[in-house]
Amino acid sequence: MLIDDTLEPTWLQGLSSRNRELLGRVGEVAEACAERADEYDRLAVFPSKDFDDLAAAGLNAATVPSEHGGLGLGPLNGDTLPLWLMTKELAKANLSLGRCWEGHTNSLVLLNALASDQQQARWFDGIVRGGEKWVAWSGEPQARKPGEGNSFGTSITAVDGGWVLDGAKAFATSATGADWAILLVNTAGPGGARHSDGPAEGLLLLACDLSDPAVTVDDSWWDPIGMRATASHVVEFNQTFLPEENLIGTPGAYLHEGWQSAFTPHYAASFLGAAEGAYAYALEYLLRQDKTADPYVQHRVGSMAVNIETAHLWLAHVAQLWDSGRRLEAQRAGNRARHLVEHLALDTVDHCVRACGARSLVRPSPVERILRDLTFYARHDNNDHILATIGRAALGQTHDSSFFKP
């Protein structure tokens, strides 16, 4: 009996015609982005033309609410899976682009959740009409890399009408491409959100106009094995004034309300995009080289197919929990999806390389870049800590669902 493999995947069946059209638009943009991916990787520069194309296609305001002229996607708008599928398509073309896109869209989710009506009207207009790009920066790691003299960190001082910021942030994604950054800074001292032991109430979210001459970029630090085109440089703040009207939400709200957990499964969507890129390469290569009769190749392809479907089903499950308002369940399921999809994606790329051989790792093969990028990006969170957090939750123990601390 023949099986019809053209049946539509279950995760697509519930999408509206409007969201299908959006995904089609993203797919068209992603084709051009894929052609530029190698150049951006080699030069280690922000994929600016990709974002220009996204804005021209009316996609850059994906998570801006519809009443402000955006597409109204994401976990706050009851339409989460289309956003993650968009991210997957862009990450499939270029995982560095997927990460920059994540940072942009997640920042707009925070504005939607925490910014005042006046702030939203001001900033959303710049995004919808001006194509402005946003990002959120917390990274102030206190551990030093070999040869590094100082750890990173910022200090913030209250002054009349706002605050003055001094210091530096590392891993600042889109440093040379973003127009605005949401800075996560702590009044207790260096560390931002992830690396600080200060009280939650000390964490401030402050919008920073990156055209301010008091903000400079040191591009000598970012020389990684992968994710090179995220341009995640060190950003330095020299007596940078941040006005009080740029304070987003109440102090500590980001931690108290667990907003990081809304973004954790979004990382998994990018991992899945990388895996799909490797899978697509493998199918095309194996068919072209007439290697499909090899039973070991068939095993590899079968494993890749199962991995890809499993990852999609998990993301669809987590998205449904967010859309139905089951926040606690969504947070826990999102961590599980993040943990599992990392393994599924890395396993898929490994199957691709083993089935296609060493030539798949020779440029201009995209698998060479996918392997480097995914290996690096999967370190964004410590997966051992994520799994321990999942275990603590299952045991009913106190746990941090956002930053995976005991």
Side-chain angles (χ1 to χ4, degrees):
M1 181 178 66
L2 295 177
I3 303 298
D4 183 5
D5 287 333
T6 63
L7 293 174
E8 184 174 71
T10 56
W11 58 86
L12 290 177
Q13 291 174 8
L15 293 184
S16 67
S17 57
R18 176 256 194 176
N19 285 336
R20 289 168 184 267
E21 188 274 330
L22 287 177
L23 289 176
R25 248 192 284 167
V26 171
E28 293 175 1
V29 172
E31 289 183 10
C33 296
E35 294 178 0
R36 293 187 286 258
D38 181 69
E39 179 182 6
Y40 282 132
D41 172 71
R42 290 174 186 261
L43 296 175
V45 295
F46 176 80
S48 55
K49 184 65 169 64
D50 297 348
F51 271 86
D52 290 344
D53 287 355
L54 287 165
L59 299 167
N60 64 304
T63 48
V64 171
S66 55
E67 59 266 29
H68 286 280
L71 299 179
L73 302 178
L76 277 185
N77 298 308
D79 215 359
T80 304
L81 185 60
L83 171 67
W84 292 349
L85 293 178
M86 291 170 72
T87 298
K88 182 200 73 171
E89 288 299 314
L90 296 175
K92 180 179 177 180
N94 181 353
L95 187 51
S96 287
L97 168 62
R99 174 66 193 110
C100 296
W101 165 261
E102 274 179 43
H104 172 69
T105 58
N106 291 344
S107 298
L108 310 190
V109 171
L110 286 178
L111 295 182
N112 188 11
L114 300 174
S116 69
D117 292 343
Q118 184 178 16
Q119 288 173 327
Q120 290 183 12
R122 172 161 57 110
W123 290 324
F124 286 155
D125 184 70
I127 296 158
V128 173
R129 298 181 185 278
E132 291 179 343
K133 299 174 286 292
W134 281 68
V135 73
W137 294 334
S138 177
E140 300 181 19
Q142 301 302 290
R144 303 168 187 172
K145 72 177 184 179
E148 204 164 61
N150 298 301
S151 57
F152 297 100
T154 57
S155 61
I156 188 163
T157 305
V159 297
D160 287 344
W163 296 266
V164 170
L165 186 67
D166 272 300
K169 286 184 174 290
F171 294 101
T173 296
S174 304
T176 52
D179 301 293
W180 285 82
I182 299 175
L183 305 180
L184 284 72
V185 294
N186 209 303
T187 57
R194 187 179 296 273
H195 304 103
S196 175
D197 293 324
E201 291 74 17
L203 183 66
L204 307 180
L205 271 65
L206 290 160
C208 178
D209 182 350
L210 297 177
S211 66
D212 188 331
V215 180
T216 58
V217 176
D218 174 6
D219 62 4
S220 66
W221 184 80
W222 185 246
D223 189 19
I225 187 173
M227 301 298 284
R228 294 172 55 78
T230 61
S232 300
H233 303 301
V234 171
V235 177
E236 298 173 343
F237 304 91
N238 180 21
Q239 292 284 296
T240 304
F241 177 68
L242 300 166
E244 58 187 10
E245 60 263 26
N246 285 13
L247 175 66
I248 302 169
T250 58
Y254 187 82
L255 296 178
H256 284 308
E257 298 176 19
W259 281 107
Q260 183 69 22
S261 64
F263 311 135
T264 298
H266 205 173
Y267 305 140
S270 282
F271 299 163
L272 175 55
E276 272 206 343
Y279 181 48
Y281 174 91
L283 290 180
E284 191 277 332
Y285 176 84
L286 294 169
L287 287 167
R288 177 164 42 84
Q289 296 295 323
D290 195 23
K291 293 188 174 184
T292 58
D294 185 329
Y296 297 107
V297 166
Q298 293 168 357
H299 285 181
R300 300 287 181 185
V301 172
S303 294
M304 287 188 280
V306 171
N307 289 350
I308 296 293
E309 183 172 13
T310 301
H312 275 104
L313 291 171
W314 262 101
L315 287 178
H317 168 61
V318 179
Q320 193 276 330
L321 292 174
W322 275 106
D323 291 349
S324 60
R326 297 155 68 183
R327 187 176 181 126
L328 179 59
E329 292 177 79
Q331 291 173 329
R332 293 187 175 184
N335 287 340
R336 295 179 182 192
R338 160 64 182 79
H339 161 74
L340 181 61
V341 175
E342 174 182 322
H343 288 285
L344 294 172
L346 289 168
D347 187 55
T348 297
V349 175
D350 183 62
H351 283 307
C352 169
V353 173
R354 291 179 183 273
C356 298
R359 71 183 66 187
S360 66
L361 296 178
V362 178
R363 286 174 167 174
S365 164
V367 178
E368 182 269 344
R369 172 174 41 83
I370 290 170
L371 177 62
R372 287 187 291 105
D373 285 352
L374 182 60
T375 301
F376 189 87
Y377 191 26
R379 303 284 76 76
H380 185 279
D381 288 306
N382 186 318
N383 203 31
D384 292 335
H385 290 172
I386 297 172
L387 187 56
T389 298
I390 294 168
R392 285 191 288 270
L395 291 167
Q397 297 179 359
T398 301
H399 60 281
D400 180 351
S401 288
S402 292
F403 295 112
F404 315 117
K405 298 178 181 180

